[in-house]
Amino acid sequence: MTLPHPALSAADPELAALVGAEEQLQAETLRLIPSENYVSAAVLEASGTVLQNKYSEGYAGRRYYEGQQVIDQVERLAVARAKALFGVEHANVQPYSGSPANLAVYLAFAEPGDTVMGMALPMGGHLTHGWGVSATGKWFRGVQYGVRQDTGLIDFDEVRELALKERPKIIFCGGTALPRTIDFPAFAEIARECGAVLVADVAHIAGLIAGGAHPSPVPHADVISTTTHKTLRGPRGAMLMSREEHAKALDKAVFPGLQGGPHNQTTAAIAVALHEASQPSFRAYAQSVVANARALAEALLDRGFDLVSGGTDNHLILMDLTPKEVPGKVAAKALDRAGIVVNYNTVPYDPRKPFDPSGIRIGTPSLTSRGLGTEHMAAVADWIDRGVTAAGKEDEAALATIRSEVAELMSAHPAPGLAG
Ligand SMILES: *Cc1c(COP(=O)(O)O)cnc(C)c1O
């Protein structure tokens, strides 16, 4: 199943063939990477428009280039939709992606060398929350909290103690491998006690928040940072949101502090995605993402899998494969051969190395976009179970069997944007 790309095929058949191959891969496989999704055909179209051709440094009504009659309207529309959907006073839709959005937050609220606090990467945080190998950990003094080993949950007494001792300028909550609801009021109370700016990085769960399937960080967080391409199901991009009091600082940090011209074709596609996310059908989608993840977690627990924190509240499941005696990377690569796309991931207190960790991370945003429901989750768990077992035995025939079963179910559930 590939889409027609007549101009591309004529001008560059080599690249067109690669795009077609990727379309086929995305159509045939069961994509379980929790940060990925399928955008709609409308979002795809918007992101491939002539808005691409325009330079627009500055903000609507305050640009450094002429000819912004249309672009200003596009950006104003995206901003208005973001404000309405998330219930915020201010939105900046220009950050190129989640990492630059977070960098802009540092630029707005801290000086190099200042102390910042976030969740440690191996505990489920993000690189840009002050982790050592990131610019944010090199240029700022990152102090890091984690989860408790016995529960897999954040210990707020520990976070408070660390915050009051270290006095960070910025506290980040949110992360990349957190299967449980983020307690924004608890973080807000700690940030208030130590005088820090609280940033809710909701990159993974923005779509769940928009759809009412996860509590909102409004009004608890001072700044909300999010990507637009994960559960929110928009183009690759990001947004920063806040109350009016922080609007100027954030805007100045994004441009001219960090970036040049915004990617207007992306801004347009963000506007489309925000429109889609404001529809009743998206609320149903968000609820279904969570229901599917719960059902999948139950089915995996029934098969003896060890899930960090014992399950999930959101779209994401973090599995510790130690009891199965299969390393995460071996399992992830075998599942990929079986048509099931996951990523290997550290688990909290992982005794193994980050490039060869104990776990795999899975999620339900993509399969839910294809219309799979809770009734399909037993089959998904069964494939994962058989795939991990086959990985341990290097049983390629078993993986091939799974791959054909997966392809059959996927062909009955065409992906948005790929339906042709
Ligand atoms: C994905 C993610 C980011 C970074 O987004 P990119 O677009 O990959 O730069 C930042 N923070 C969190 C919590 C994320 O999950």
Side-chain angles (χ1 to χ4, degrees), residues 336-418:
D336 192 50
R337 297 200 291 284
I340 300 171
V341 189
V342 307
N343 68 275
Y344 60 87
N345 215 95
T346 53
V347 296
Y349 304 95
D350 204 324
R352 301 176 65 93
K353 301 243 158 50
F355 51 85
D356 186 18
S358 300
I360 57 175
R361 190 185 68 150
I362 62 177
T364 51
S366 296
L367 65 79
T368 308
S369 289
R370 297 184 73 150
L372 298 196
T374 51
E375 70 276 18
H376 297 107
M377 294 307 109
V380 173
D382 183 54
W383 286 326
I384 292 170
D385 193 7
R386 283 159 54 199
V388 169
T389 303
K393 296 193 228 158
E394 297 182 42
D395 183 349
E396 293 304 317
L399 296 175
T401 304
I402 297 167
R403 190 178 186 100
S404 66
E405 292 174 18
V406 167
E408 194 182 322
L409 182 68
M410 291 301 108
S411 71
H413 295 271
L418 282 168

Coordinates of all heavy atoms in Angstrom, one line a residue, residues 336-418:
D336 N 11.0 -6.7 16.0 CA 11.0 -5.9 14.7 C 10.9 -6.9 13.5 O 10.2 -6.7 12.6 CB 12.3 -5.1 14.7 CG 12.2 -4.1 13.5 OD1 11.2 -3.4 13.4 OD2 13.2 -4.0 12.8
R337 N 11.6 -8.0 13.6 CA 11.6 -9.0 12.6 C 10.2 -9.7 12.5 O 9.8 -10.2 11.5 CB 12.7 -10.1 12.8 CG 14.1 -9.5 12.7 CD 15.2 -10.6 12.4 NE 15.4 -11.5 13.5 CZ 16.0 -11.3 14.6 NH1 16.6 -10.1 14.8 NH2 16.2 -12.2 15.5
A338 N 9.5 -9.6 13.6 CA 8.1 -10.2 13.7 C 7.1 -9.1 13.3 O 5.9 -9.4 13.4 CB 7.8 -10.7 15.0
G339 N 7.5 -7.9 12.8 CA 6.6 -6.9 12.4 C 6.0 -6.1 13.6 O 4.9 -5.4 13.4
I340 N 6.6 -6.2 14.7 CA 6.1 -5.5 15.9 C 7.3 -4.5 16.3 O 8.3 -4.9 16.7 CB 5.8 -6.4 17.1 CG1 4.7 -7.4 16.6 CG2 5.4 -5.6 18.3 CD1 4.5 -8.5 17.6
V341 N 7.0 -3.2 16.2 CA 8.0 -2.2 16.3 C 8.0 -1.6 17.7 O 7.0 -0.9 18.1 CB 7.9 -1.1 15.2 CG1 9.1 -0.2 15.3 CG2 7.7 -1.7 13.8
V342 N 9.0 -1.8 18.5 CA 9.1 -1.3 19.9 C 10.5 -0.7 20.0 O 11.3 -0.7 19.1 CB 8.9 -2.4 20.9 CG1 7.6 -3.2 20.7 CG2 10.1 -3.4 20.9
N343 N 10.8 -0.1 21.2 CA 12.2 0.3 21.4 C 12.6 -0.3 22.7 O 11.9 -0.5 23.7 CB 12.4 1.8 21.4 CG 11.7 2.6 22.5 OD1 10.5 2.9 22.4 ND2 12.5 2.8 23.6
Y344 N 13.9 -0.7 22.7 CA 14.5 -1.1 24.0 C 14.8 0.1 24.9 O 15.0 1.2 24.4 CB 15.8 -2.0 23.7 CG 16.9 -1.3 23.0 CD1 17.9 -0.6 23.7 CD2 17.1 -1.4 21.6 CE1 19.0 0.0 23.1 CE2 18.2 -0.8 21.0 CZ 19.1 -0.1 21.7 OH 20.1 0.5 21.1
N345 N 14.7 -0.1 26.2 CA 14.6 1.0 27.1 C 15.2 0.6 28.5 O 15.0 -0.6 28.9 CB 13.2 1.4 27.3 CG 13.0 2.9 27.5 OD1 12.7 3.6 26.5 ND2 13.1 3.4 28.7
T346 N 15.9 1.5 29.1 CA 16.3 1.2 30.5 C 15.1 1.2 31.4 O 14.1 1.8 31.1 CB 17.2 2.3 31.1 OG1 16.6 3.6 30.9 CG2 18.6 2.3 30.4
V347 N 15.1 0.4 32.4 CA 14.1 0.4 33.5 C 14.8 1.0 34.7 O 16.0 1.0 34.8 CB 13.6 -1.1 33.8 CG1 12.9 -1.6 32.5 CG2 14.7 -2.0 34.3
P348 N 14.0 1.6 35.6 CA 14.6 2.2 36.8 C 15.5 1.2 37.5 O 15.2 0.0 37.7 CB 13.4 2.5 37.7 CG 12.3 2.7 36.7 CD 12.5 1.7 35.6
Y349 N 16.7 1.7 38.0 CA 17.7 0.8 38.7 C 18.2 -0.3 37.8 O 18.6 -1.4 38.3 CB 17.2 0.3 40.0 CG 16.7 1.4 40.9 CD1 15.3 1.8 40.9 CD2 17.5 2.2 41.7 CE1 14.8 2.8 41.7 CE2 17.1 3.2 42.5 CZ 15.7 3.5 42.5 OH 15.3 4.6 43.2
D350 N 18.2 0.0 36.5 CA 18.7 -1.1 35.5 C 20.1 -1.5 35.8 O 21.0 -0.6 35.8 CB 18.5 -0.5 34.1 CG 18.4 -1.6 33.1 OD1 19.0 -2.7 33.3 OD2 17.6 -1.5 32.1
P351 N 20.4 -2.7 36.0 CA 21.8 -3.1 36.2 C 22.6 -3.2 34.9 O 23.8 -3.2 34.9 CB 21.7 -4.5 36.8 CG 20.4 -5.1 36.4 CD 19.5 -3.8 36.2
R352 N 21.8 -3.2 33.7 CA 22.5 -3.2 32.4 C 22.8 -1.8 31.9 O 22.3 -0.8 32.4 CB 21.6 -4.0 31.4 CG 21.3 -5.5 31.9 CD 20.4 -6.2 31.0 NE 21.0 -6.4 29.7 CZ 21.7 -7.5 29.3 NH1 21.8 -8.5 30.2 NH2 22.2 -7.6 28.1
K353 N 23.5 -1.8 30.8 CA 23.9 -0.5 30.2 C 22.8 0.1 29.3 O 22.0 -0.6 28.8 CB 25.2 -0.7 29.4 CG 26.4 -1.3 30.1 CD 27.5 -0.3 30.2 CE 28.5 -0.6 31.3 NZ 29.0 -1.9 31.4
P354 N 22.8 1.5 29.2 CA 21.7 2.1 28.4 C 21.6 1.6 27.0 O 20.5 1.6 26.4 CB 22.1 3.6 28.4 CG 23.0 3.8 29.6 CD 23.7 2.5 29.8
F355 N 22.7 1.2 26.3 CA 22.6 0.7 24.9 C 22.3 -0.8 24.9 O 22.3 -1.4 23.8 CB 23.8 1.1 24.1 CG 25.1 0.8 24.7 CD1 25.7 -0.5 24.6 CD2 25.8 1.7 25.5 CE1 26.9 -0.8 25.2 CE2 27.0 1.4 26.1 CZ 27.6 0.1 25.9
D356 N 22.2 -1.4 26.1 CA 21.9 -2.8 26.1 C 21.1 -3.1 27.4 O 21.5 -3.8 28.3 CB 23.2 -3.6 26.1 CG 22.9 -5.1 26.0 OD1 21.7 -5.5 25.6 OD2 23.8 -5.9 26.3
P357 N 19.9 -2.4 27.5 CA 19.2 -2.4 28.8 C 18.3 -3.6 29.0 O 18.2 -4.5 28.1 CB 18.4 -1.1 28.7 CG 18.0 -1.0 27.3 CD 19.2 -1.6 26.5
S358 N 17.6 -3.6 30.1 CA 16.7 -4.7 30.5 C 15.3 -4.7 30.0 O 14.6 -5.7 30.0 CB 16.7 -4.8 32.0 OG 17.9 -5.0 32.6
G359 N 14.9 -3.5 29.5 CA 13.5 -3.4 29.2 C 13.1 -3.1 27.8 O 14.0 -2.8 26.9
I360 N 11.8 -3.1 27.5 CA 11.3 -2.5 26.3 C 10.1 -1.6 26.7 O 9.5 -1.8 27.7 CB 10.8 -3.6 25.2 CG1 9.8 -4.6 25.8 CG2 12.0 -4.3 24.6 CD1 9.2 -5.5 24.7
R361 N 9.9 -0.6 25.8 CA 8.9 0.4 26.1 C 7.8 0.3 24.9 O 8.2 0.2 23.7 CB 9.5 1.7 26.0 CG 8.7 2.9 26.5 CD 9.4 4.2 26.3 NE 9.6 4.5 24.9 CZ 9.7 5.8 24.4 NH1 9.6 6.8 25.2 NH2 9.9 6.0 23.1
I362 N 6.6 0.1 25.3 CA 5.5 0.0 24.3 C 4.4 1.0 24.6 O 4.3 1.5 25.7 CB 5.0 -1.4 24.1 CG1 4.3 -1.9 25.4 CG2 6.1 -2.4 23.7 CD1 3.7 -3.2 25.3
G363 N 3.6 1.2 23.6 CA 2.4 2.1 23.8 C 1.4 2.0 22.7 O 1.6 1.3 21.7
T364 N 0.2 2.5 23.0 CA -1.0 2.3 22.2 C -1.4 3.4 21.3 O -2.5 3.3 20.6 CB -2.1 1.8 23.1 OG1 -2.3 2.8 24.1 CG2 -1.9 0.5 23.7
P365 N -0.7 4.6 21.2 CA -1.3 5.7 20.3 C -1.4 5.3 18.9 O -2.5 5.6 18.3 CB -0.2 6.8 20.5 CG 0.4 6.5 21.8 CD 0.4 5.0 22.0
S366 N -0.5 4.6 18.3 CA -0.5 4.3 16.9 C -1.6 3.2 16.6 O -2.4 3.4 15.6 CB 0.8 3.8 16.4 OG 1.8 4.8 16.5
L367 N -1.6 2.2 17.3 CA -2.6 1.1 17.0 C -4.0 1.6 17.2 O -5.0 1.2 16.5 CB -2.3 -0.2 17.8 CG -2.4 -0.3 19.3 CD1 -3.8 -0.4 19.8 CD2 -1.6 -1.4 19.8
T368 N -4.2 2.5 18.2 CA -5.5 3.1 18.4 C -5.9 4.0 17.2 O -7.1 4.0 16.8 CB -5.6 3.9 19.7 OG1 -5.1 3.0 20.8 CG2 -7.0 4.3 20.1
S369 N -5.0 4.7 16.6 CA -5.3 5.5 15.4 C -5.7 4.6 14.3 O -6.4 5.1 13.4 CB -4.0 6.3 15.0 OG -3.8 7.4 16.0
R370 N -5.3 3.4 14.3 CA -5.8 2.4 13.2 C -7.1 1.8 13.6 O -7.6 0.9 12.9 CB -4.7 1.4 13.0 CG -3.4 2.0 12.4 CD -2.4 1.0 12.1 NE -2.7 0.3 10.9 CZ -1.8 -0.2 10.0 NH1 -0.6 -0.1 10.3 NH2 -2.2 -0.9 8.9
G371 N -7.7 2.1 14.7 CA -9.0 1.6 15.1 C -9.0 0.3 15.8 O -10.0 -0.4 16.0
L372 N -7.8 -0.2 16.3 CA -7.8 -1.4 17.1 C -8.4 -1.0 18.5 O -8.2 0.1 19.0 CB -6.4 -1.9 17.3 CG -5.6 -2.4 16.1 CD1 -4.4 -3.3 16.5 CD2 -6.5 -3.2 15.1
G373 N -9.1 -2.0 19.1 CA -9.7 -1.7 20.4 C -9.3 -2.7 21.4 O -8.4 -3.6 21.1
T374 N -9.9 -2.7 22.6 CA -9.5 -3.6 23.7 C -9.7 -5.0 23.3 O -8.9 -5.9 23.8 CB -10.4 -3.3 24.9 OG1 -11.8 -3.3 24.6 CG2 -10.1 -1.9 25.5
E375 N -10.6 -5.3 22.4 CA -10.8 -6.7 22.0 C -9.6 -7.3 21.2 O -9.5 -8.5 21.1 CB -12.1 -6.8 21.1 CG -12.0 -6.2 19.7 CD -12.3 -4.7 19.7 OE1 -12.3 -4.0 20.8 OE2 -12.6 -4.2 18.6
H376 N -8.7 -6.4 20.7 CA -7.5 -6.9 20.0 C -6.3 -7.0 20.9 O -5.2 -7.5 20.5 CB -7.2 -5.9 18.9 CG -8.2 -5.8 17.8 ND1 -9.0 -4.7 17.7 CD2 -8.6 -6.6 16.9 CE1 -9.9 -4.9 16.7 NE2 -9.6 -6.0 16.2
M377 N -6.4 -6.6 22.2 CA -5.2 -6.5 23.0 C -4.6 -7.9 23.4 O -3.4 -8.0 23.7 CB -5.4 -5.6 24.2 CG -5.6 -4.1 23.8 SD -4.3 -3.4 22.7 CE -5.2 -3.2 21.2
A378 N -5.5 -8.8 23.6 CA -5.1 -10.2 23.9 C -4.2 -10.7 22.8 O -3.1 -11.3 23.1 CB -6.3 -11.1 24.2
A379 N -4.6 -10.5 21.6 CA -3.7 -10.9 20.4 C -2.4 -10.2 20.4 O -1.3 -10.9 20.2 CB -4.5 -10.7 19.1
V380 N -2.4 -8.9 20.7 CA -1.1 -8.2 20.7 C -0.2 -8.7 21.8 O 1.0 -8.9 21.6 CB -1.4 -6.7 20.9 CG1 -0.1 -5.9 21.1 CG2 -2.2 -6.1 19.7
A381 N -0.8 -9.0 23.0 CA 0.0 -9.5 24.1 C 0.6 -10.9 23.7 O 1.7 -11.2 24.0 CB -0.8 -9.6 25.4
D382 N -0.3 -11.7 23.1 CA 0.2 -13.0 22.6 C 1.3 -12.9 21.7 O 2.3 -13.7 21.8 CB -1.0 -13.7 22.0 CG -0.7 -15.2 21.6 OD1 -0.2 -15.9 22.5 OD2 -0.9 -15.5 20.5
W383 N 1.2 -12.0 20.7 CA 2.4 -11.8 19.8 C 3.6 -11.4 20.5 O 4.7 -11.9 20.2 CB 2.0 -10.8 18.7 CG 1.0 -11.3 17.7 CD1 0.9 -12.5 17.2 CD2 0.0 -10.5 17.0 NE1 -0.1 -12.6 16.2 CE2 -0.7 -11.3 16.1 CE3 -0.3 -9.1 17.1 CZ2 -1.7 -10.9 15.3 CZ3 -1.4 -8.7 16.3 CH2 -2.0 -9.5 15.4
I384 N 3.5 -10.5 21.4 CA 4.7 -10.0 22.2 C 5.3 -11.2 22.9 O 6.5 -11.4 22.9 CB 4.3 -8.9 23.1 CG1 4.0 -7.6 22.3 CG2 5.5 -8.5 24.1 CD1 3.4 -6.5 23.1
D385 N 4.4 -12.0 23.6 CA 4.9 -13.1 24.4 C 5.6 -14.1 23.5 O 6.7 -14.5 23.8 CB 3.6 -13.7 25.1 CG 4.0 -14.7 26.1 OD1 5.2 -14.8 26.5 OD2 3.1 -15.4 26.7
R386 N 4.9 -14.5 22.4 CA 5.6 -15.5 21.5 C 6.9 -14.9 20.9 O 7.8 -15.6 20.7 CB 4.6 -15.8 20.4 CG 3.5 -16.8 20.9 CD 2.3 -16.8 20.0 NE 2.6 -17.0 18.6 CZ 1.8 -16.7 17.6 NH1 0.6 -16.2 17.8 NH2 2.1 -17.0 16.3
G387 N 6.9 -13.6 20.6 CA 8.0 -13.0 20.0 C 9.2 -12.9 21.0 O 10.4 -13.2 20.6
V388 N 9.0 -12.6 22.2 CA 10.0 -12.6 23.2 C 10.6 -14.0 23.5 O 11.8 -14.2 23.6 CB 9.5 -12.0 24.6 CG1 10.5 -12.2 25.7 CG2 9.3 -10.5 24.3
T389 N 9.7 -15.0 23.5 CA 10.1 -16.4 23.7 C 10.9 -16.8 22.5 O 12.0 -17.4 22.6 CB 8.9 -17.3 23.8 OG1 8.1 -16.9 24.9 CG2 9.3 -18.8 24.0
A390 N 10.5 -16.4 21.3 CA 11.2 -16.8 20.0 C 12.6 -16.1 20.0 O 13.6 -16.6 19.6 CB 10.4 -16.4 18.8
A391 N 12.6 -14.9 20.6 CA 13.9 -14.1 20.6 C 14.9 -14.9 21.5 O 16.1 -15.0 21.1 CB 13.7 -12.7 21.2
G392 N 14.5 -15.4 22.6 CA 15.3 -16.2 23.5 C 15.9 -17.4 22.9 O 17.0 -17.9 23.1
K393 N 15.1 -18.0 21.9 CA 15.5 -19.3 21.3 C 16.0 -19.0 19.9 O 16.3 -20.0 19.2 CB 14.3 -20.2 21.2 CG 13.7 -20.6 22.5 CD 12.7 -21.8 22.3 CE 11.5 -21.6 23.0 NZ 10.3 -22.3 22.5
E394 N 16.1 -17.8 19.5 CA 16.5 -17.5 18.1 C 15.7 -18.3 17.1 O 16.2 -18.8 16.1 CB 18.0 -17.7 17.9 CG 18.8 -16.7 18.8 CD 20.3 -16.9 18.6 OE1 20.7 -17.0 17.4 OE2 21.0 -16.9 19.6
D395 N 14.4 -18.3 17.3 CA 13.4 -19.1 16.5 C 12.9 -18.2 15.4 O 11.8 -17.6 15.5 CB 12.3 -19.6 17.4 CG 11.4 -20.5 16.6 OD1 11.4 -20.6 15.4 OD2 10.5 -21.2 17.3
E396 N 13.6 -18.1 14.2 CA 13.2 -17.2 13.2 C 11.9 -17.6 12.5 O 11.1 -16.8 12.1 CB 14.3 -17.1 12.1 CG 15.6 -16.4 12.6 CD 15.4 -15.0 13.1 OE1 14.6 -14.2 12.5 OE2 16.0 -14.7 14.2
A397 N 11.6 -18.9 12.5 CA 10.3 -19.4 11.9 C 9.1 -18.9 12.7 O 8.1 -18.4 12.1 CB 10.3 -20.9 11.8
A398 N 9.3 -18.9 14.0 CA 8.2 -18.4 14.8 C 8.0 -16.9 14.6 O 6.8 -16.4 14.5 CB 8.5 -18.7 16.3
L399 N 9.1 -16.2 14.4 CA 9.0 -14.7 14.2 C 8.3 -14.4 12.9 O 7.5 -13.5 12.7 CB 10.4 -14.0 14.2 CG 11.1 -14.1 15.6 CD1 12.5 -13.5 15.5 CD2 10.3 -13.4 16.7
A400 N 8.6 -15.3 11.9 CA 8.0 -15.1 10.5 C 6.5 -15.3 10.6 O 5.7 -14.7 9.9 CB 8.7 -16.0 9.5
T401 N 6.1 -16.3 11.4 CA 4.7 -16.6 11.5 C 3.9 -15.4 12.1 O 2.9 -15.0 11.7 CB 4.5 -17.9 12.4 OG1 5.2 -19.0 11.8 CG2 3.0 -18.3 12.5
I402 N 4.5 -14.9 13.2 CA 3.9 -13.7 13.9 C 3.8 -12.6 12.8 O 2.8 -11.9 12.8 CB 4.8 -13.3 15.1 CG1 4.8 -14.4 16.1 CG2 4.2 -12.0 15.7 CD1 5.8 -14.1 17.2
R403 N 4.9 -12.4 12.1 CA 4.9 -11.3 11.1 C 3.7 -11.4 10.1 O 3.0 -10.4 9.8 CB 6.2 -11.2 10.3 CG 6.3 -10.0 9.5 CD 7.6 -9.9 8.7 NE 7.7 -8.5 8.1 CZ 8.3 -7.5 8.6 NH1 9.1 -7.6 9.7 NH2 8.2 -6.3 8.0
S404 N 3.4 -12.6 9.7 CA 2.3 -12.7 8.7 C 0.9 -12.5 9.4 O 0.0 -11.9 8.9 CB 2.3 -14.0 8.0 OG 2.1 -15.1 8.9
E405 N 0.8 -13.0 10.7 CA -0.4 -12.7 11.4 C -0.6 -11.3 11.7 O -1.8 -10.7 11.5 CB -0.4 -13.5 12.8 CG -0.4 -15.0 12.7 CD -0.2 -15.7 14.0 OE1 -0.4 -15.1 15.1 OE2 0.1 -16.9 14.0
V406 N 0.4 -10.6 12.0 CA 0.4 -9.1 12.3 C -0.1 -8.4 11.0 O -1.0 -7.6 11.0 CB 1.7 -8.6 12.8 CG1 1.7 -7.0 12.7 CG2 2.0 -9.0 14.2
A407 N 0.6 -8.7 9.9 CA 0.3 -8.1 8.6 C -1.2 -8.3 8.2 O -1.9 -7.3 7.7 CB 1.2 -8.6 7.5
E408 N -1.8 -9.4 8.6 CA -3.2 -9.7 8.2 C -4.1 -8.8 9.0 O -5.0 -8.2 8.4 CB -3.5 -11.2 8.5 CG -4.8 -11.6 7.9 CD -5.1 -13.1 8.3 OE1 -4.2 -13.9 8.3 OE2 -6.3 -13.3 8.5
L409 N -3.8 -8.6 10.3 CA -4.7 -7.8 11.1 C -4.5 -6.3 10.7 O -5.5 -5.6 10.6 CB -4.4 -7.9 12.6 CG -5.2 -7.0 13.5 CD1 -6.7 -7.5 13.5 CD2 -4.7 -6.9 15.0
M410 N -3.3 -5.9 10.4 CA -3.0 -4.5 10.0 C -3.7 -4.2 8.7 O -4.2 -3.1 8.5 CB -1.5 -4.3 9.9 CG -0.8 -4.3 11.2 SD -1.4 -3.1 12.4 CE -2.2 -4.1 13.5
S411 N -3.7 -5.2 7.7 CA -4.4 -4.9 6.4 C -5.9 -4.6 6.6 O -6.5 -4.0 5.8 CB -4.1 -6.0 5.4 OG -4.8 -7.2 5.8
A412 N -6.4 -5.2 7.7 CA -7.9 -5.0 7.9 C -8.1 -3.6 8.6 O -9.3 -3.2 8.8 CB -8.4 -6.1 8.8
H413 N -7.0 -3.0 9.1 CA -7.2 -1.7 9.8 C -6.2 -0.7 9.2 O -5.2 -0.4 9.7 CB -6.9 -1.9 11.3 CG -7.9 -2.8 12.0 ND1 -9.0 -2.3 12.5 CD2 -7.9 -4.1 12.1 CE1 -9.7 -3.3 13.1 NE2 -9.1 -4.4 12.8
P414 N -6.6 -0.1 8.0 CA -5.7 0.8 7.3 C -5.4 2.0 8.2 O -6.2 2.5 9.0 CB -6.5 1.3 6.1 CG -7.8 0.5 6.1 CD -7.9 -0.3 7.4
A415 N -4.2 2.5 8.1 CA -3.7 3.6 8.9 C -4.1 4.9 8.3 O -4.1 5.1 7.1 CB -2.2 3.6 9.0
P416 N -4.5 5.9 9.2 CA -4.8 7.3 8.7 C -3.6 7.8 7.9 O -2.5 7.5 8.3 CB -5.0 8.1 10.0 CG -5.3 7.0 11.1 CD -4.6 5.8 10.7
G417 N -3.9 8.5 6.9 CA -2.8 9.1 6.1 C -2.2 8.1 5.1 O -1.5 8.5 4.2
L418 N -2.5 6.8 5.3 CA -1.9 5.8 4.4 C -3.0 5.1 3.7 O -2.8 4.1 3.0 CB -1.1 4.8 5.2 CG 0.3 5.3 5.6 CD1 0.9 4.3 6.6 CD2 1.2 5.4 4.3

